[in-house]
Amino acid sequence: MSIRTSRLSRPLLALSRPLLLSTLSTSTTRPVRPTVPLPALRPVIPSHAMTMSTRTPDAAKGPKVHVALVQLPAAMPGGKAAQVARMREMVRDAVSQGRDAGEAVDLVVLGEMWNGQPSHDELVKNAEPIPAVGAPEASWPAEATTCREMADAARESGVWLLGGSIPEAADGRLYNCATVWSPEGTLVQTYRKTHLFDLALEKMTYKESDTFGAGDRLASFDTPFGRFGIAICYDIRFPEIATIAARQGCTAMFYPAAFNTHTGPMHWELLQRARALDNQIYVATCSQARDPGAKYEIYGHSMAVSPMGEVIGTAQEKEAIVRVTFDPEVIANTRAGIPLLTQRRFDLYADVSVTPPTANGK
Amino acid sequence: MSIRTSRLSRPLLALSRPLLLSTLSTSTTRPVRPTVPLPALRPVIPSHAMTMSTRTPDAAKGPKVHVALVQLPAAMPGGKAAQVARMREMVRDAVSQGRDAGEAVDLVVLGEMWNGQPSHDELVKNAEPIPAVGAPEASWPAEATTCREMADAARESGVWLLGGSIPEAADGRLYNCATVWSPEGTLVQTYRKTHLFDLALEKMTYKESDTFGAGDRLASFDTPFGRFGIAICYDIRFPEIATIAARQGCTAMFYPAAFNTHTGPMHWELLQRARALDNQIYVATCSQARDPGAKYEIYGHSMAVSPMGEVIGTAQEKEAIVRVTFDPEVIANTRAGIPLLTQRRFDLYADVSVTPPTANGK
């Protein structure tokens, strides 16, 4: 039996192995509605560890989402004040660029630890208490200066702002903490990095957990244009986070991050493409720009990847604004063409988004 | 504090984000034994669905493993007899090439459905009953002709043979079934493809499950040089399989496969690199070679990827033998440099290799 598929259907014809040619057939000669409905999202029960609403949104439906990744310069002379001032300028630039292009920015994303230099002393100096989610601004601690600037930036431009991460001072220690701000300047979500990088080798030791505490929950946030997951840098190496987010209806995972020039070229793009393709969602990272004089060479390359694993936007190492659009229809087409959602074998392996953590876990 | 690390330590210095420079320090000026032991494999309880021994091997220890991927020509004139004859020749070639290079081949891998053409009628014609694991050859059904040839090929060359997959006739239907043969010609493991590709779109329908039954268990096999996981083609899109295999001590995942020239360029390498990097194991695929006259254009590109996600060997689209070496020391170094094994947060998400399947699973 011959196979006739139009050129138009190619994007949907995303088969991994249609080996059995005789079972492959065109169903009609003229466009009609599919006889079988597109795969529906499985209803899932949120893990106890994921803070989000329980009503699962459908990432394959809804409006397009216009996102700007703001790759701020790292370690500017002038420290925190200079970083925050540049953040304000670049958020304004990102929003006006979107407006000029007729794709008004919905959501701006900043990088990891973007408000100062990465030395221990500087982190301690720049750390601030982060207000409770939803707390009225009048009740915020005076020291929450970066938070006030992020709230103002969101309000000023009328955008959602995923404020990358900043050093948070709480419980007498530091956390690597992300914040999310609504267009009204309300803090709607926080996420403390859950996977800390500790290393002990012959030639060197490195212990992030000496400085930072680890978060104790995963996080996402809801907007009128969909749900989005948040994790930070090294977290991207743990696939479960993106899988849980996708199964709970997220359109995208965002990773503020600061890979270096050693692992960056090897793994930065690969990890993002893997998380996107395996979970059929968008993935975006936001880095700081490289400080040419720094010992720690930041890779930069803030990036966004489609549900098919294609890079749809990227910066180089310098200061940059990357604008990309997330299209739920692309998610729908990807899931229809490669129906991973309906073909999983949860009789053979657990669903990490449903099963409660094991008692013998870490 | 300045950072001094020798060039030698670079492969181990695989940090994702050593942002806190002040906590990064060289511990000694001369080489000594690490003060902290390398991360040990967590003991895991095999899932009920995975057939393997319960004693977890350590993939980071043991001898090097020399592997040959045999990319056989697809759909030769002469059908099954010609395919099987060419298999015998190419296995001999692979083994003698290894011997000549001073890296005696331990394990030969074949592609998916390598013993005939991919049409439905041909699959039915070429299908054969597959003997029970461990059954004496005298008891095998007369129709198990491809199996006899694979057993002979393994015995003749004194190698382990992962015989790709062939159409298995059982229970009045077909299975896409992989077999593993010891150097003595004993069948030591089988695996029926567990994820079947079914698709119903406006312009086309494709239903692999109309022809094949799906397997009901995952599988790996033990050798004197380590444990290895098996899955087939579309299975590679389901990350849980490789994760379970890695957590149960596998050195590598093998995927006999037959991607096409549409999804091949997009996803073939990406999926392999992702499975390898996320699980810090080797991954290898074996395809058929492309049949230039066929409607189904096979991508070819049999490939092997290191635990760091680097492609260490690949074919093009034509008939080829790819020889690669898996080195447990590379696994050990990768896991020491990026200690995913010890830094997972099973308090935040389930361990798919431990948790029994959920009752509400598919």
Side-chain angles (χ1 to χ4, degrees), chain A residues 72 75-89 114-117 122 125-126 128 145-146 149:
Chain A
L72 280 162
M76 294 172 73
K80 181 173 175 174
Q83 297 290 139
V84 170
R86 189 75 189 112
M87 179 277 286
R88 294 297 302 270
E89 289 169 357
W114 59 267
N115 74 339
Q117 292 193 40
E122 180 93 0
K125 201 177 72 182
N126 292 338
E128 57 187 71
T145 54
T146 309
E149 294 281 347

mmCIF file of all heavy atoms in Angstrom, chain A residues 72 75-89 114-117 122 125-126 128 145-146 149:
data_model
loop_
_atom_site.group_PDB
_atom_site.id
_atom_site.type_symbol
_atom_site.label_atom_id
_atom_site.label_comp_id
_atom_site.label_asym_id
_atom_site.label_seq_id
_atom_site.Cartn_x
_atom_site.Cartn_y
_atom_site.Cartn_z
ATOM 1 N N LEU A 72 21.586 40.116 31.800
ATOM 2 C CA LEU A 72 22.235 41.297 32.395
ATOM 3 C C LEU A 72 23.743 41.126 32.446
ATOM 4 O O LEU A 72 24.239 40.023 32.612
ATOM 5 C CB LEU A 72 21.755 41.462 33.834
ATOM 6 C CG LEU A 72 20.404 42.101 34.083
ATOM 7 C CD1 LEU A 72 19.924 41.767 35.492
ATOM 8 C CD2 LEU A 72 20.514 43.618 33.914
ATOM 9 N N ALA A 75 28.496 41.474 37.475
ATOM 10 C CA ALA A 75 29.554 42.122 38.265
ATOM 11 C C ALA A 75 29.958 43.497 37.733
ATOM 12 O O ALA A 75 31.125 43.773 37.507
ATOM 13 C CB ALA A 75 30.780 41.195 38.328
ATOM 14 N N MET A 76 28.962 44.364 37.517
ATOM 15 C CA MET A 76 29.268 45.718 37.051
ATOM 16 C C MET A 76 29.974 46.504 38.150
ATOM 17 O O MET A 76 29.716 46.302 39.336
ATOM 18 C CB MET A 76 27.963 46.443 36.691
ATOM 19 C CG MET A 76 27.226 45.863 35.506
ATOM 20 S SD MET A 76 25.585 46.633 35.306
ATOM 21 C CE MET A 76 26.067 48.233 34.677
ATOM 22 N N PRO A 77 30.853 47.429 37.745
ATOM 23 C CA PRO A 77 31.382 48.357 38.754
ATOM 24 C C PRO A 77 30.191 49.099 39.351
ATOM 25 O O PRO A 77 29.283 49.494 38.629
ATOM 26 C CB PRO A 77 32.252 49.324 37.922
ATOM 27 C CG PRO A 77 32.458 48.654 36.597
ATOM 28 C CD PRO A 77 31.293 47.746 36.384
ATOM 29 N N GLY A 78 30.199 49.242 40.653
ATOM 30 C CA GLY A 78 29.031 49.870 41.291
ATOM 31 C C GLY A 78 28.201 48.862 42.040
ATOM 32 O O GLY A 78 27.288 49.234 42.784
ATOM 33 N N GLY A 79 28.504 47.580 41.819
ATOM 34 C CA GLY A 79 27.875 46.529 42.619
ATOM 35 C C GLY A 79 26.376 46.468 42.465
ATOM 36 O O GLY A 79 25.807 46.750 41.414
ATOM 37 N N LYS A 80 25.711 46.119 43.576
ATOM 38 C CA LYS A 80 24.282 45.865 43.589
ATOM 39 C C LYS A 80 23.468 47.037 43.024
ATOM 40 O O LYS A 80 22.564 46.822 42.206
ATOM 41 C CB LYS A 80 23.846 45.564 45.019
ATOM 42 C CG LYS A 80 22.366 45.238 45.195
ATOM 43 C CD LYS A 80 22.107 44.781 46.640
ATOM 44 C CE LYS A 80 20.630 44.556 46.927
ATOM 45 N NZ LYS A 80 20.409 43.975 48.268
ATOM 46 N N ALA A 81 23.845 48.254 43.393
ATOM 47 C CA ALA A 81 23.078 49.419 42.926
ATOM 48 C C ALA A 81 23.126 49.513 41.407
ATOM 49 O O ALA A 81 22.112 49.773 40.740
ATOM 50 C CB ALA A 81 23.611 50.699 43.561
ATOM 51 N N ALA A 82 24.318 49.265 40.854
ATOM 52 C CA ALA A 82 24.476 49.338 39.400
ATOM 53 C C ALA A 82 23.720 48.204 38.719
ATOM 54 O O ALA A 82 23.080 48.391 37.673
ATOM 55 C CB ALA A 82 25.960 49.290 39.041
ATOM 56 N N GLN A 83 23.787 47.007 39.326
ATOM 57 C CA GLN A 83 23.095 45.850 38.731
ATOM 58 C C GLN A 83 21.589 46.094 38.680
ATOM 59 O O GLN A 83 20.930 45.827 37.681
ATOM 60 C CB GLN A 83 23.372 44.592 39.567
ATOM 61 C CG GLN A 83 24.813 44.133 39.635
ATOM 62 C CD GLN A 83 25.345 43.560 38.343
ATOM 63 O OE1 GLN A 83 26.476 43.828 37.955
ATOM 64 N NE2 GLN A 83 24.508 42.794 37.663
ATOM 65 N N VAL A 84 21.065 46.602 39.806
ATOM 66 C CA VAL A 84 19.621 46.819 39.891
ATOM 67 C C VAL A 84 19.183 47.914 38.911
ATOM 68 O O VAL A 84 18.165 47.775 38.225
ATOM 69 C CB VAL A 84 19.216 47.163 41.344
ATOM 70 C CG1 VAL A 84 17.769 47.624 41.399
ATOM 71 C CG2 VAL A 84 19.428 45.951 42.260
ATOM 72 N N ALA A 85 20.008 48.947 38.796
ATOM 73 C CA ALA A 85 19.667 50.023 37.865
ATOM 74 C C ALA A 85 19.647 49.511 36.421
ATOM 75 O O ALA A 85 18.757 49.834 35.633
ATOM 76 C CB ALA A 85 20.659 51.173 38.011
ATOM 77 N N ARG A 86 20.635 48.691 36.099
ATOM 78 C CA ARG A 86 20.688 48.141 34.732
ATOM 79 C C ARG A 86 19.513 47.189 34.493
ATOM 80 O O ARG A 86 18.958 47.144 33.385
ATOM 81 C CB ARG A 86 22.026 47.423 34.510
ATOM 82 C CG ARG A 86 22.248 47.028 33.057
ATOM 83 C CD ARG A 86 22.619 48.234 32.193
ATOM 84 N NE ARG A 86 22.627 47.912 30.762
ATOM 85 C CZ ARG A 86 21.757 48.379 29.880
ATOM 86 N NH1 ARG A 86 20.807 49.237 30.249
ATOM 87 N NH2 ARG A 86 21.839 48.050 28.604
ATOM 88 N N MET A 87 19.141 46.443 35.537
ATOM 89 C CA MET A 87 17.960 45.568 35.416
ATOM 90 C C MET A 87 16.752 46.397 35.031
ATOM 91 O O MET A 87 16.016 46.066 34.087
ATOM 92 C CB MET A 87 17.722 44.830 36.734
ATOM 93 C CG MET A 87 16.512 43.897 36.769
ATOM 94 S SD MET A 87 14.891 44.689 37.116
ATOM 95 C CE MET A 87 15.049 45.033 38.886
ATOM 96 N N ARG A 88 16.525 47.501 35.746
ATOM 97 C CA ARG A 88 15.365 48.342 35.459
ATOM 98 C C ARG A 88 15.372 48.820 34.003
ATOM 99 O O ARG A 88 14.362 48.778 33.310
ATOM 100 C CB ARG A 88 15.334 49.554 36.414
ATOM 101 C CG ARG A 88 15.112 49.221 37.883
ATOM 102 C CD ARG A 88 13.755 48.570 38.119
ATOM 103 N NE ARG A 88 12.642 49.400 37.672
ATOM 104 C CZ ARG A 88 12.019 50.289 38.447
ATOM 105 N NH1 ARG A 88 12.384 50.438 39.715
ATOM 106 N NH2 ARG A 88 11.013 50.986 37.974
ATOM 107 N N GLU A 89 16.563 49.256 33.549
ATOM 108 C CA GLU A 89 16.670 49.735 32.158
ATOM 109 C C GLU A 89 16.383 48.620 31.159
ATOM 110 O O GLU A 89 15.654 48.808 30.178
ATOM 111 C CB GLU A 89 18.087 50.261 31.894
ATOM 112 C CG GLU A 89 18.416 51.572 32.582
ATOM 113 C CD GLU A 89 19.911 51.916 32.502
ATOM 114 O OE1 GLU A 89 20.692 51.092 31.955
ATOM 115 O OE2 GLU A 89 20.292 52.984 33.002
ATOM 116 N N TRP A 114 21.715 37.654 39.899
ATOM 117 C CA TRP A 114 22.055 38.724 38.956
ATOM 118 C C TRP A 114 22.361 40.047 39.654
ATOM 119 O O TRP A 114 22.835 40.993 39.008
ATOM 120 C CB TRP A 114 20.895 38.943 37.973
ATOM 121 C CG TRP A 114 19.603 39.326 38.673
ATOM 122 C CD1 TRP A 114 18.627 38.463 39.077
ATOM 123 C CD2 TRP A 114 19.189 40.634 39.076
ATOM 124 N NE1 TRP A 114 17.621 39.160 39.709
ATOM 125 C CE2 TRP A 114 17.936 40.498 39.721
ATOM 126 C CE3 TRP A 114 19.739 41.918 38.949
ATOM 127 C CZ2 TRP A 114 17.235 41.580 40.247
ATOM 128 C CZ3 TRP A 114 19.048 43.002 39.480
ATOM 129 C CH2 TRP A 114 17.798 42.834 40.115
ATOM 130 N N ASN A 115 22.118 40.153 40.954
ATOM 131 C CA ASN A 115 22.232 41.487 41.573
ATOM 132 C C ASN A 115 23.575 41.768 42.244
ATOM 133 O O ASN A 115 23.671 42.619 43.115
ATOM 134 C CB ASN A 115 21.068 41.750 42.544
ATOM 135 C CG ASN A 115 21.185 40.968 43.839
ATOM 136 O OD1 ASN A 115 21.897 39.959 43.861
ATOM 137 N ND2 ASN A 115 20.509 41.411 44.879
ATOM 138 N N GLY A 116 24.624 41.057 41.836
ATOM 139 C CA GLY A 116 25.935 41.361 42.397
ATOM 140 C C GLY A 116 26.968 40.346 41.982
ATOM 141 O O GLY A 116 26.688 39.451 41.188
ATOM 142 N N GLN A 117 28.152 40.487 42.533
ATOM 143 C CA GLN A 117 29.238 39.582 42.183
ATOM 144 C C GLN A 117 29.095 38.243 42.898
ATOM 145 O O GLN A 117 28.457 38.158 43.943
ATOM 146 C CB GLN A 117 30.577 40.219 42.550
ATOM 147 C CG GLN A 117 30.905 41.425 41.700
ATOM 148 C CD GLN A 117 32.339 41.858 41.846
ATOM 149 O OE1 GLN A 117 33.243 41.028 41.918
ATOM 150 N NE2 GLN A 117 32.551 43.161 41.915
ATOM 151 N N GLU A 122 30.381 39.139 48.864
ATOM 152 C CA GLU A 122 29.440 39.972 48.115
ATOM 153 C C GLU A 122 28.024 39.402 48.208
ATOM 154 O O GLU A 122 27.046 40.137 48.338
ATOM 155 C CB GLU A 122 29.896 40.042 46.651
ATOM 156 C CG GLU A 122 29.009 40.889 45.765
ATOM 157 C CD GLU A 122 29.466 42.337 45.634
ATOM 158 O OE1 GLU A 122 30.489 42.698 46.246
ATOM 159 O OE2 GLU A 122 28.780 43.098 44.919
ATOM 160 N N LYS A 125 26.651 40.283 51.482
ATOM 161 C CA LYS A 125 26.345 41.717 51.524
ATOM 162 C C LYS A 125 25.066 42.032 50.745
ATOM 163 O O LYS A 125 24.265 42.878 51.141
ATOM 164 C CB LYS A 125 27.528 42.497 50.921
ATOM 165 C CG LYS A 125 27.595 43.953 51.327
ATOM 166 C CD LYS A 125 28.826 44.635 50.742
ATOM 167 C CE LYS A 125 28.686 44.841 49.238
ATOM 168 N NZ LYS A 125 29.877 45.456 48.624
ATOM 169 N N ASN A 126 24.881 41.337 49.613
ATOM 170 C CA ASN A 126 23.731 41.623 48.749
ATOM 171 C C ASN A 126 22.454 40.890 49.155
ATOM 172 O O ASN A 126 21.387 41.154 48.604
ATOM 173 C CB ASN A 126 24.052 41.267 47.303
ATOM 174 C CG ASN A 126 25.102 42.178 46.709
ATOM 175 O OD1 ASN A 126 25.304 43.292 47.197
ATOM 176 N ND2 ASN A 126 25.779 41.710 45.674
ATOM 177 N N GLU A 128 19.150 39.665 50.971
ATOM 178 C CA GLU A 128 18.083 40.420 51.636
ATOM 179 C C GLU A 128 16.938 39.474 51.984
ATOM 180 O O GLU A 128 16.793 38.407 51.377
ATOM 181 C CB GLU A 128 17.581 41.542 50.718
ATOM 182 C CG GLU A 128 17.074 41.085 49.367
ATOM 183 C CD GLU A 128 16.760 42.291 48.459
ATOM 184 O OE1 GLU A 128 17.707 42.973 47.997
ATOM 185 O OE2 GLU A 128 15.569 42.537 48.239
ATOM 186 N N THR A 145 15.368 45.499 49.236
ATOM 187 C CA THR A 145 15.491 46.562 48.233
ATOM 188 C C THR A 145 15.424 46.022 46.806
ATOM 189 O O THR A 145 14.795 46.627 45.938
ATOM 190 C CB THR A 145 16.810 47.330 48.434
ATOM 191 O OG1 THR A 145 17.891 46.382 48.435
ATOM 192 C CG2 THR A 145 16.799 48.072 49.763
ATOM 193 N N THR A 146 16.077 44.900 46.549
ATOM 194 C CA THR A 146 16.018 44.338 45.200
ATOM 195 C C THR A 146 14.588 43.908 44.877
ATOM 196 O O THR A 146 14.116 44.079 43.750
ATOM 197 C CB THR A 146 16.976 43.129 45.067
ATOM 198 O OG1 THR A 146 18.272 43.496 45.524
ATOM 199 C CG2 THR A 146 17.075 42.657 43.629
ATOM 200 N N GLU A 149 12.571 46.788 43.808
ATOM 201 C CA GLU A 149 12.894 47.184 42.427
ATOM 202 C C GLU A 149 12.237 46.229 41.425
ATOM 203 O O GLU A 149 11.775 46.644 40.356
ATOM 204 C CB GLU A 149 14.418 47.201 42.227
ATOM 205 C CG GLU A 149 15.143 48.257 43.040
ATOM 206 C CD GLU A 149 15.044 49.659 42.421
ATOM 207 O OE1 GLU A 149 14.624 49.773 41.242
ATOM 208 O OE2 GLU A 149 15.390 50.632 43.122
#
